[in-house]
Coordinates of all heavy atoms in Angstrom, one line a residue:
M273 N 0.8 -1.2 0.0 CA 0.0 0.0 0.0 C 0.9 1.2 0.0 O 2.0 1.2 0.5 CB -0.9 0.0 1.2 CG -0.2 0.0 2.5 SD -1.3 -0.3 4.0 CE -2.1 1.3 4.1
K274 N 0.3 2.3 -0.6 CA 1.1 3.5 -0.7 C 0.4 4.6 0.2 O -0.8 4.6 0.3 CB 1.1 4.0 -2.2 CG 2.0 3.2 -3.1 CD 2.1 3.9 -4.4 CE 2.9 3.2 -5.4 NZ 3.5 2.2 -5.6
I275 N 1.3 5.5 0.7 CA 0.8 6.5 1.6 C 1.3 7.8 1.0 O 2.4 7.9 0.6 CB 1.4 6.4 3.0 CG1 1.0 5.0 3.6 CG2 1.0 7.5 3.9 CD1 1.7 4.7 4.8
S276 N 0.4 8.8 1.0 CA 0.9 10.2 0.7 C 0.4 11.1 1.7 O -0.7 11.0 2.2 CB 0.5 10.6 -0.7 OG -0.9 10.7 -0.8
V277 N 1.2 12.1 2.0 CA 0.8 13.1 3.0 C 0.9 14.5 2.3 O 2.0 14.8 1.7 CB 1.8 13.1 4.2 CG1 1.4 14.3 5.2 CG2 1.7 11.8 5.0
D278 N -0.1 15.2 2.3 CA -0.1 16.6 1.7 C 0.6 17.5 2.6 O 0.1 17.9 3.7 CB -1.6 17.0 1.5 CG -1.7 18.4 0.8 OD1 -0.6 19.1 0.7 OD2 -2.7 18.7 0.3
M279 N 1.9 17.7 2.3 CA 2.7 18.5 3.2 C 2.3 20.0 3.2 O 2.8 20.8 4.0 CB 4.2 18.4 2.8 CG 4.7 16.9 2.9 SD 4.4 16.2 4.5 CE 5.7 16.9 5.5
N280 N 1.5 20.4 2.2 CA 0.9 21.8 2.3 C -0.1 21.9 3.4 O -0.4 23.0 3.8 CB 0.3 22.1 0.9 CG 1.3 22.2 -0.2 OD1 2.4 22.8 0.0 ND2 1.0 21.7 -1.3
V281 N -0.7 20.8 3.8 CA -1.7 20.8 4.8 C -1.2 20.3 6.2 O -1.6 20.8 7.2 CB -2.9 19.8 4.3 CG1 -3.9 19.7 5.4 CG2 -3.5 20.3 3.0
C282 N -0.2 19.4 6.2 CA 0.3 18.9 7.4 C 0.9 20.0 8.3 O 1.6 20.9 7.8 CB 1.4 17.9 7.1 SG 2.3 17.3 8.5
Q283 N 0.5 19.9 9.6 CA 0.9 20.9 10.5 C 2.0 20.4 11.5 O 2.2 21.0 12.5 CB -0.3 21.5 11.3 CG -1.3 22.1 10.4 CD -0.8 23.4 9.8 OE1 -0.1 24.2 10.4 NE2 -1.2 23.7 8.5
N284 N 2.5 19.2 11.2 CA 3.5 18.5 12.0 C 3.0 18.3 13.5 O 3.7 18.4 14.4 CB 4.8 19.3 12.0 CG 5.4 19.4 10.7 OD1 5.4 18.4 9.9 ND2 5.8 20.6 10.3
Y285 N 1.7 18.0 13.6 CA 1.1 17.8 14.9 C 1.7 16.5 15.6 O 1.8 16.4 16.8 CB -0.4 17.7 14.9 CG -1.1 19.0 14.6 CD1 -2.0 19.0 13.5 CD2 -0.9 20.1 15.3 CE1 -2.7 20.2 13.2 CE2 -1.5 21.3 15.0 CZ -2.4 21.3 14.0 OH -3.1 22.5 13.7
G286 N 1.9 15.5 14.7 CA 2.6 14.3 15.2 C 1.6 13.2 15.7 O 2.0 12.2 16.1
Q287 N 0.3 13.4 15.5 CA -0.6 12.4 16.0 C -0.4 11.1 15.2 O -0.6 10.0 15.7 CB -2.1 12.8 15.8 CG -2.6 13.7 16.9 CD -2.3 15.1 16.7 OE1 -1.4 15.5 16.0 NE2 -3.1 16.0 17.4
C288 N -0.1 11.2 13.9 CA 0.2 10.0 13.1 C 1.4 9.3 13.6 O 1.4 8.0 13.5 CB 0.4 10.4 11.6 SG 1.7 11.6 11.4
V289 N 2.3 10.0 14.2 CA 3.5 9.3 14.7 C 3.2 8.4 15.9 O 3.7 7.3 16.1 CB 4.6 10.4 15.1 CG1 5.8 9.7 15.7 CG2 5.0 11.2 13.9
F290 N 2.2 8.9 16.8 CA 1.8 8.1 17.9 C 1.0 6.9 17.4 O 1.1 5.8 18.0 CB 0.9 9.0 18.8 CG 1.8 10.0 19.6 CD1 1.7 11.3 19.3 CD2 2.6 9.6 20.6 CE1 2.4 12.3 20.0 CE2 3.4 10.5 21.3 CZ 3.3 11.9 21.0
A291 N 0.2 7.1 16.4 CA -0.7 6.0 15.9 C 0.1 5.0 15.1 O -0.2 3.8 15.2 CB -1.8 6.6 15.0
A292 N 1.1 5.4 14.4 CA 1.9 4.4 13.5 C 3.4 4.8 13.5 O 3.9 5.3 12.5 CB 1.3 4.4 12.1
P293 N 4.0 4.5 14.7 CA 5.4 5.0 14.8 C 6.4 4.3 13.9 O 7.5 4.8 13.7 CB 5.7 4.7 16.3 CG 4.7 3.6 16.7 CD 3.5 3.9 15.9
E294 N 6.0 3.2 13.3 CA 6.9 2.5 12.3 C 6.8 3.1 10.9 O 7.7 2.8 10.1 CB 6.7 1.0 12.3 CG 7.0 0.3 13.6 CD 6.6 -1.1 13.6 OE1 6.3 -1.7 12.6 OE2 6.7 -1.7 14.7
V295 N 5.8 4.0 10.7 CA 5.6 4.5 9.4 C 5.9 6.0 9.4 O 6.5 6.5 8.4 CB 4.1 4.3 9.0 CG1 3.9 4.9 7.6 CG2 3.9 2.8 9.0
F296 N 5.5 6.7 10.4 CA 5.6 8.2 10.5 C 6.6 8.5 11.6 O 6.7 7.8 12.7 CB 4.3 8.8 10.8 CG 3.2 8.5 9.8 CD1 2.3 7.5 10.0 CD2 3.1 9.3 8.7 CE1 1.3 7.2 9.1 CE2 2.1 9.0 7.7 CZ 1.2 8.0 7.9
D297 N 7.4 9.6 11.4 CA 8.3 10.1 12.4 C 8.5 11.6 12.3 O 8.1 12.1 11.2 CB 9.7 9.4 12.2 CG 10.5 9.4 13.5 OD1 10.0 9.9 14.5 OD2 11.6 8.9 13.5
L298 N 9.0 12.2 13.3 CA 9.3 13.6 13.2 C 10.8 13.7 13.2 O 11.5 13.1 14.0 CB 8.7 14.4 14.4 CG 7.2 14.5 14.4 CD1 6.7 15.2 15.7 CD2 6.6 15.2 13.2
D299 N 11.4 14.5 12.3 CA 12.8 14.6 12.2 C 13.3 15.6 13.3 O 12.5 16.1 14.1 CB 13.3 15.0 10.8 CG 12.9 16.4 10.4 OD1 12.5 17.2 11.3 OD2 12.9 16.6 9.2
D300 N 14.6 15.8 13.3 CA 15.2 16.6 14.4 C 14.7 18.0 14.4 O 14.7 18.7 15.4 CB 16.7 16.6 14.3 CG 17.3 15.3 14.6 OD1 16.6 14.4 15.3 OD2 18.5 15.0 14.3
A301 N 14.2 18.5 13.2 CA 13.7 19.8 13.1 C 12.2 19.8 13.4 O 11.6 20.9 13.3 CB 14.0 20.4 11.7
G302 N 11.6 18.7 13.7 CA 10.2 18.6 14.0 C 9.3 18.5 12.8 O 8.1 18.6 12.9
G303 N 9.9 18.2 11.6 CA 9.1 18.0 10.4 C 8.8 16.6 10.2 O 9.5 15.7 10.6
L304 N 7.6 16.3 9.6 CA 7.2 15.0 9.4 C 8.0 14.3 8.3 O 8.2 14.8 7.3 CB 5.7 15.0 9.0 CG 5.1 13.6 8.7 CD1 5.0 12.8 10.0 CD2 3.7 13.7 8.1
V305 N 8.4 13.0 8.6 CA 8.9 12.1 7.6 C 8.1 10.8 7.7 O 7.6 10.5 8.7 CB 10.4 11.9 7.8 CG1 11.3 13.1 7.5 CG2 10.7 11.4 9.2
Y306 N 8.0 10.2 6.5 CA 7.2 8.9 6.5 C 7.7 8.0 5.4 O 8.3 8.4 4.4 CB 5.7 9.3 6.3 CG 5.4 9.9 5.0 CD1 4.8 9.2 4.0 CD2 5.6 11.3 4.8 CE1 4.5 9.7 2.8 CE2 5.2 11.9 3.6 CZ 4.7 11.1 2.6 OH 4.4 11.7 1.4
R307 N 7.3 6.8 5.5 CA 7.6 5.8 4.5 C 6.5 5.8 3.5 O 5.3 5.5 3.9 CB 7.8 4.4 5.1 CG 9.0 4.3 6.0 CD 9.0 3.1 6.9 NE 8.7 1.8 6.3 CZ 8.3 0.7 6.9 NH1 8.2 0.8 8.2 NH2 8.1 -0.3 6.2
P308 N 6.7 6.1 2.2 CA 5.6 6.2 1.3 C 5.0 4.8 0.8 O 3.9 4.8 0.3 CB 6.3 6.9 0.1 CG 7.7 6.7 0.2 CD 8.0 6.5 1.7
T309 N 5.8 3.8 1.0 CA 5.3 2.4 0.7 C 5.5 1.5 1.9 O 6.6 1.4 2.4 CB 6.0 1.9 -0.5 OG1 5.9 2.8 -1.6 CG2 5.4 0.5 -1.0
V310 N 4.4 0.9 2.3 CA 4.5 0.0 3.5 C 3.8 -1.3 3.2 O 2.9 -1.4 2.4 CB 4.0 0.7 4.8 CG1 4.8 1.9 5.2 CG2 2.5 1.0 4.7
D311 N 4.2 -2.3 4.0 CA 3.6 -3.6 3.9 C 2.1 -3.5 4.3 O 1.8 -2.7 5.2 CB 4.3 -4.6 4.8 CG 4.1 -6.0 4.4 OD1 4.9 -6.5 3.5 OD2 3.2 -6.6 4.9
D312 N 1.3 -4.4 3.7 CA -0.1 -4.4 4.1 C -0.4 -4.7 5.6 O -1.5 -4.4 6.1 CB -0.9 -5.4 3.2 CG -1.9 -4.7 2.4 OD1 -1.8 -3.5 2.1 OD2 -2.9 -5.4 2.0
T313 N 0.5 -5.3 6.2 CA 0.3 -5.7 7.6 C 0.2 -4.4 8.5 O -0.3 -4.4 9.6 CB 1.5 -6.5 8.2 OG1 2.7 -5.9 7.9 CG2 1.5 -7.9 7.5
A314 N 0.7 -3.3 8.0 CA 0.6 -2.0 8.7 C -0.7 -1.2 8.4 O -0.8 -0.1 9.0 CB 1.8 -1.1 8.3
R315 N -1.6 -1.8 7.7 CA -2.8 -1.1 7.3 C -3.6 -0.6 8.4 O -4.0 0.6 8.4 CB -3.7 -2.0 6.4 CG -4.9 -1.4 5.9 CD -5.7 -2.2 5.0 NE -5.0 -2.5 3.8 CZ -5.0 -1.7 2.7 NH1 -5.7 -0.6 2.7 NH2 -4.3 -2.0 1.6
G316 N -3.8 -1.4 9.5 CA -4.6 -0.9 10.6 C -4.0 0.3 11.3 O -4.7 1.3 11.6
E317 N -2.7 0.3 11.4 CA -2.0 1.4 12.1 C -2.1 2.7 11.2 O -2.3 3.8 11.7 CB -0.5 1.1 12.2 CG -0.1 0.4 13.5 CD 1.4 0.3 13.7 OE1 2.1 1.1 13.1 OE2 1.8 -0.5 14.5
V318 N -1.9 2.4 9.9 CA -1.9 3.6 9.0 C -3.3 4.2 8.9 O -3.5 5.4 8.9 CB -1.4 3.2 7.6 CG1 -1.6 4.3 6.6 CG2 0.1 2.8 7.6
E319 N -4.3 3.3 8.9 CA -5.7 3.8 8.9 C -6.0 4.6 10.2 O -6.6 5.7 10.2 CB -6.7 2.7 8.7 CG -6.7 2.2 7.3 CD -7.7 1.0 7.1 OE1 -8.2 0.5 8.1 OE2 -7.8 0.6 5.9
A320 N -5.5 4.1 11.3 CA -5.6 4.8 12.6 C -4.9 6.2 12.5 O -5.5 7.2 13.0 CB -5.1 4.0 13.7
A321 N -3.8 6.2 11.9 CA -3.0 7.5 11.7 C -3.8 8.5 10.9 O -3.9 9.7 11.2 CB -1.6 7.2 11.1
A322 N -4.4 8.0 9.8 CA -5.1 8.8 8.9 C -6.3 9.4 9.6 O -6.7 10.6 9.5 CB -5.6 8.1 7.7
M323 N -7.0 8.6 10.5 CA -8.1 9.1 11.2 C -7.7 10.1 12.3 O -8.5 11.0 12.7 CB -8.9 7.9 11.8 CG -9.7 7.2 10.7 SD -10.6 5.7 11.3 CE -11.4 6.2 12.7
A324 N -6.5 9.9 12.8 CA -6.1 10.7 13.9 C -5.6 12.1 13.5 O -5.6 13.0 14.3 CB -4.9 10.0 14.7
C325 N -5.2 12.2 12.2 CA -4.7 13.4 11.7 C -5.8 14.5 11.7 O -6.8 14.4 11.1 CB -4.2 13.2 10.3 SG -3.6 14.8 9.6
P326 N -5.5 15.6 12.4 CA -6.6 16.6 12.6 C -6.9 17.4 11.3 O -7.9 18.1 11.3 CB -6.0 17.5 13.7 CG -4.6 17.2 13.8 CD -4.3 15.9 13.2
V327 N -6.0 17.3 10.3 CA -6.2 18.1 9.1 C -6.4 17.2 7.9 O -6.4 17.6 6.8 CB -5.1 19.1 8.9 CG1 -5.1 20.2 9.9 CG2 -3.7 18.4 8.9
Q328 N -6.6 15.9 8.1 CA -6.9 14.9 7.1 C -5.8 15.0 5.9 O -6.2 15.0 4.8 CB -8.3 15.1 6.5 CG -9.4 14.4 7.3 CD -10.1 15.4 8.2 OE1 -10.5 16.4 7.7 NE2 -10.3 15.1 9.4
A329 N -4.6 15.1 6.3 CA -3.5 15.2 5.4 C -3.0 13.9 4.8 O -2.4 13.9 3.7 CB -2.3 15.9 6.0
I330 N -3.5 12.8 5.4 CA -2.9 11.5 5.0 C -3.9 10.8 4.0 O -5.1 10.6 4.3 CB -2.7 10.6 6.2 CG1 -1.7 11.3 7.2 CG2 -2.2 9.2 5.8 CD1 -1.6 10.6 8.5
T331 N -3.3 10.3 2.9 CA -4.1 9.6 1.9 C -3.5 8.2 1.7 O -2.3 8.1 1.6 CB -4.1 10.3 0.5 OG1 -4.6 11.6 0.7 CG2 -5.0 9.5 -0.5
I332 N -4.4 7.2 1.8 CA -3.9 5.8 1.6 C -4.4 5.3 0.2 O -5.5 5.5 -0.2 CB -4.5 4.9 2.7 CG1 -4.1 5.4 4.0 CG2 -4.1 3.4 2.4 CD1 -4.9 4.7 5.2
E333 N -3.4 4.7 -0.6 CA -3.8 4.2 -1.9 C -3.5 2.7 -1.9 O -2.4 2.3 -1.5 CB -3.0 4.9 -3.0 CG -3.2 6.4 -3.1 CD -2.2 7.1 -3.9 OE1 -1.7 6.5 -4.9 OE2 -1.8 8.2 -3.6
G334 N -4.4 2.0 -2.4 CA -4.2 0.6 -2.6 C -4.5 -0.2 -1.4 O -4.9 0.3 -0.3
Ligands
SF4_671 S1 -1.1 13.9 12.2 FE1 -1.5 14.9 10.2 S2 -0.8 17.0 10.5 FE2 0.1 15.8 12.2 S3 2.1 15.2 11.5 FE3 0.7 13.6 10.9 S4 0.1 14.1 8.8 FE4 0.9 15.9 9.7

């Protein structure tokens, strides 16, 4: 499955990092970094992250 985050919308709140720490992270400067392609076993976590995002910046494809 593929993940995309609209970085024009993302406010670096980090809720997705708490929901799916193996997929999303905040770098040393506090900016969001993420893995754009993840194994399907992470689907539940990623869906939880997408729902947790307060600005709906996360899109899941596939
Ligand atoms: S929860 Fe949403 S706004 Fe916050 S860092 Fe993740 S993608 Fe960005």
Side-chain angles (χ1 to χ4, degrees):
M273 62 190 285
K274 291 188 177 8
I275 300 167
S276 63
V277 177
D278 186 342
M279 299 307 282
N280 293 318
V281 174
C282 173
Q283 299 294 321
N284 300 318
Y285 291 125
Q287 277 89 336
C288 56
V289 179
F290 289 107
E294 292 174 11
V295 179
F296 301 93
D297 200 2
L298 295 175
D299 65 18
D300 290 344
L304 179 69
V305 290
Y306 65 100
R307 291 162 54 196
T309 305
V310 296
D311 201 89
D312 242 24
T313 54
R315 181 174 295 274
E317 274 191 18
V318 173
E319 286 178 351
M323 284 175 49
C325 177
V327 292
Q328 278 100 47
I330 301 170
T331 303
I332 301 168
E333 297 167 33

